[in-house]
Amino acid sequence: MTPSIPMTSPKSAVPPPAGPSLTIAQARRIAIAAQGLHRPPASTGGSVTAAALVKLVRRLGLLQIDSVNVLARAHLMPVFSRLGSYDTALLDRVAWPATSRGERHRALVETWAHEASLVPVETMPLLRWKQQQLATRWERHARRLRAQHPGVIEEIVDIVRDLGPRSAGEIEAELQERAHQPRRGQAGWWEWSATKQACEFLFGTGVFAVARRRGFERLYDLSERVLPPEIIATPTLDPADAHRALVAHAATAFGIATATDLADYFRLPVAGARRAVAELVEAGELQPVAVDGWREPAYRHRDARLPRAVDGAALVSPFDPLVWFRPRDERLLDFHYRIEIYTPAAKRVHGYYVLPLLIGDRIVGRFDLKADRATGRLLVPAAWREPGVPTGPDLTVRAAGVLRSLADWLGLGEIVVAETGTWAQDLRGVLGGPAR
């Protein structure tokens, strides 16, 4: 994705009048196709290349990162949902090369986009406004940090410059060494909270980048040693121009969306997104449309196709672009979805870590899933069929096939379906009950 050419004249932020009408079924098919979920994943393992993976991320715009690891890391699942079984080391190599020689293969980089995310390296100039915004927002905290621990931020930059990629813990240890304070239990200006805060401030504002990860621990380095020189040299766009380019990319990934949907994709200010939408409509890149039942105006990207049918089958994680904006879920997919990880167990409705199952153009069910790596089992504590979804063996067999593909990808040899949920009994009939 390359920065768009700045427009010289301001455009109205008022949504243009609605154009052609679409049914909700048509809007779903457009959106599912744009997300690459309109057909079953083709891979059965080993056939996904790094080039195909990077192409997918460029299409989606980003992969959200999250620390939850009940099943698989958040950034890994969207690739599996679309491409099928793949070697996750491919993603590590193009995002976090393990050696300096691997830097030339870095195609993705970690930053704040839709929350913490992996984005194509060429997207970074479009996100500098966000780094500048974070610098302004966090300046009060940075002043307090400097007042409490004079010199800490500058010293941390010096350490990373001198020693190369380091974790916050390693930086803390080096600060302790340089401060000559070896006594345990004695807090100094280098204490962990100050170190971590400073590293996150430097990362969020673009001084640091994440060179690689050790397990799931960030190793920070100077941005100019992580990003390609041509990216560093790219001029910084005016925020309005960057917003327009990001909205255009969100519209490509969504296919059809409201201005609010488009703003959420890269977490843009809604007013800025609306201005960008109006400019893109005038430029012919977005087409205003009316979708049955939607109160807000909708916009279809000029390249978004409307397939006659969609026949994909995929589990999507809570951090997948298809479902991450909950108001859109209800409007587009007629699907009420909430993450219940932080809900007390007694108050959970569907389970701890629940993934929706998309088959065709409908969310047909949701499964509470856990990878029990110690015993090599994919656990299904609960399996729910969505209200109104017809019962029948064909759909159950297909759902079971998706679960088998997931288990195979994760290297889990057994699937254990518990008795909870409206789909559990039928799935147990196909997959078998708990191990004895």
Side-chain angles (χ1 to χ4, degrees):
M1 183 172 62
T2 55
S4 64
I5 299 173
M7 294 179 130
T8 56
S9 58
K11 303 293 184 281
S12 169
V14 177
S21 295
L22 294 171
T23 66
I24 191 64
Q26 289 173 321
R28 283 181 185 172
R29 296 202 301 274
I30 291 171
I32 290 167
Q35 280 284 302
L37 291 163
H38 55 298
R39 56 188 172 213
S43 171
T44 57
S47 62
V48 175
T49 63
L53 190 154
V54 172
K55 181 180 179 181
L56 172 65
V57 180
R58 285 180 173 145
R59 172 74 182 187
L60 295 178
L62 57 86
L63 298 174
Q64 186 176 344
I65 299 171
D66 192 88
S67 61
V68 175
N69 196 27
V70 177
L71 184 69
R73 295 288 186 190
H75 60 285
L76 301 176
M77 277 298 302
V79 179
F80 169 75
S81 298
R82 291 157 177 81
L83 300 183
S85 182
Y86 73 103
D87 182 358
T88 59
L90 287 175
L91 185 50
D92 289 338
R93 286 200 289 271
V94 298
W96 300 292
T99 66
S100 57
R101 293 184 62 184
E103 289 291 337
R104 67 182 183 275
H105 300 298
R106 189 191 298 276
L108 309 176
V109 68
E110 193 170 335
T111 190
W112 289 100
H114 178 97
E115 303 297 332
S117 306
L118 285 171
V119 303
V121 291
E122 61 268 23
T123 302
M124 286 301 292
L126 301 178
L127 296 169
R128 286 183 189 147
W129 66 271
K130 191 181 284 282
Q131 293 173 335
Q132 294 166 350
Q133 183 184 72
L134 286 173
T136 300
R137 184 186 305 165
W138 293 352
E139 181 55 34
R140 180 170 58 87
H141 301 290
R143 284 198 305 268
R144 184 169 65 243
L145 189 63
R146 287 189 173 98
Q148 294 173 348
H149 308 284
V152 66
I153 294 177
E154 294 75 14
E155 184 74 5
I156 287 173
V157 173
D158 287 342
I159 287 172
V160 171
R161 180 181 292 111
D162 294 343
L163 302 181
R166 290 293 185 272
S167 69
E170 290 168 331
I171 293 168
E172 177 195 7
E174 181 64 21
L175 284 169
Q176 179 175 347
E177 183 69 23
R178 294 187 180 195
H180 305 292
Q181 295 181 359
R183 285 178 292 169
R184 293 183 181 179
Q186 179 178 336
W189 64 274
W190 42 266
E191 65 187 349
W192 164 254
S193 61
T195 305
K196 183 63 175 174
Q197 288 176 45
C199 287
E200 287 300 301
F201 172 77
L202 293 165
F203 167 61
T205 56
V207 178
F208 282 175
V210 178
R212 33 190 189 272
R213 281 185 179 254
R214 184 191 297 124
F216 202 64
E217 183 180 37
R218 284 173 172 160
L219 301 186
Y220 303 96
D221 201 354
L222 301 179
S223 288
E224 59 261 31
R225 296 199 298 225
V226 173
L227 297 175
E230 62 272 20
I231 300 300
I232 297 291
T234 301
T236 298
L237 292 177
D238 179 84
D241 297 325
H243 292 169
R244 185 170 56 255
L246 292 169
V247 165
H249 201 89
T252 299
F254 265 162
I256 188 167
T258 67
T260 307
D261 298 338
L262 297 171
D264 180 74
Y265 207 90
F266 287 97
R267 295 294 164 89
L268 305 176
V270 174
R274 290 188 185 280
R275 282 191 294 270
V277 164
E279 293 170 353
L280 290 166
V281 168
E282 182 165 320
E285 191 162 351
L286 296 185
Q287 177 190 29
V289 294
V291 178
D292 291 350
W294 289 18
R295 295 180 180 180
E296 284 188 66
Y299 303 91
R300 178 180 177 181
H301 193 273
R302 65 186 173 197
D303 296 331
R305 62 190 189 89
L306 172 56
R308 292 185 178 180
V310 292
D311 192 38
L315 286 160
V316 292
S317 88
F319 308 102
D320 192 290
L322 181 71
V323 297
W324 68 24
F325 190 46
R326 310 307 184 214
R328 178 178 169 86
D329 295 345
E330 299 189 21
R331 186 182 349 106
L332 177 69
L333 301 170
D334 191 23
F335 180 60
H336 180 80
Y337 186 38
R338 297 292 183 270
I339 294 180
E340 298 183 88
I341 290 175
Y342 305 109
T343 302
K347 295 184 178 181
R348 290 182 195 134
V349 177
H350 296 104
Y352 181 77
Y353 192 67
V354 176
L355 277 69
L357 174 64
L358 175 73
I359 292 184
D361 68 349
R362 290 191 66 181
I363 300 292
V364 298
R366 58 184 96 194
F367 301 146
D368 186 13
L369 297 174
K370 179 180 180 179
D372 188 344
R373 298 172 180 87
T375 62
R377 300 183 301 169
L378 176 63
L379 305 183
V380 188
W384 305 91
R385 184 185 288 109
E386 287 300 292
V389 171
T391 59
D394 291 346
L395 192 63
T396 301
V397 167
R398 197 165 187 194
V402 175
L403 288 172
R404 287 195 186 101
S405 295
L406 176 64
D408 290 345
W409 174 57
L410 295 175
L412 304 173
E414 185 181 4
I415 302 172
V416 180
V417 182
E419 298 179 356
T420 302
T422 55
W423 211 345
Q425 183 176 349
D426 289 347
L427 278 170
R428 283 159 57 88
V430 175
L431 292 168
R436 300 302 181 196

